[in-house]
Amino acid sequence: GRKRPAIPIRYYAVMVTMFFTVSVVNNYALNLNIAMPLHMIFRSGSLIANMILGIIILKKRYSIFKYT
């Protein structure tokens, strides 16, 4: 009585690996002499990266409101 996943586990594994890598790199960047506002701008870019990965890997579509 179990339903098979609609999205293969390997796609989740790729996204989790990429998320972990980005998080580690973001935390490592705090050890460098980078201005905090610049670091915050780069860190906020992860939302855009997640949306792009969702479009490419998971074939998601978002409304215009979410893109803006």
Side-chain angles (χ1 to χ4, degrees):
R2 292 183 63 163
K3 182 180 174 188
R4 294 182 58 86
I7 301 170
I9 298 297
R10 64 182 172 162
Y11 290 139
Y12 286 113
V14 169
M15 292 183 75
V16 166
T17 303
M18 293 180 81
F19 176 77
F20 178 76
T21 304
V22 168
S23 295
V24 168
V25 169
N26 275 333
N27 289 333
Y28 177 73
L30 290 173
N31 293 333
L32 305 174
N33 291 329
I34 298 175
M36 186 53 81
L38 181 62
H39 182 261
M40 291 171 62
I41 290 170
F42 283 126
R43 201 161 181 176
S44 67
S46 65
L47 174 63
I48 296 169
N50 284 334
M51 286 182 75
I52 292 171
L53 285 174
I55 292 167
I56 293 171
I57 295 174
L58 301 177
K59 308 291 189 229
K60 285 189 171 187
R61 295 290 171 233
Y62 300 102
S63 67
I64 297 297
F65 179 73
K66 286 188 179 182
Y67 285 119
T68 56

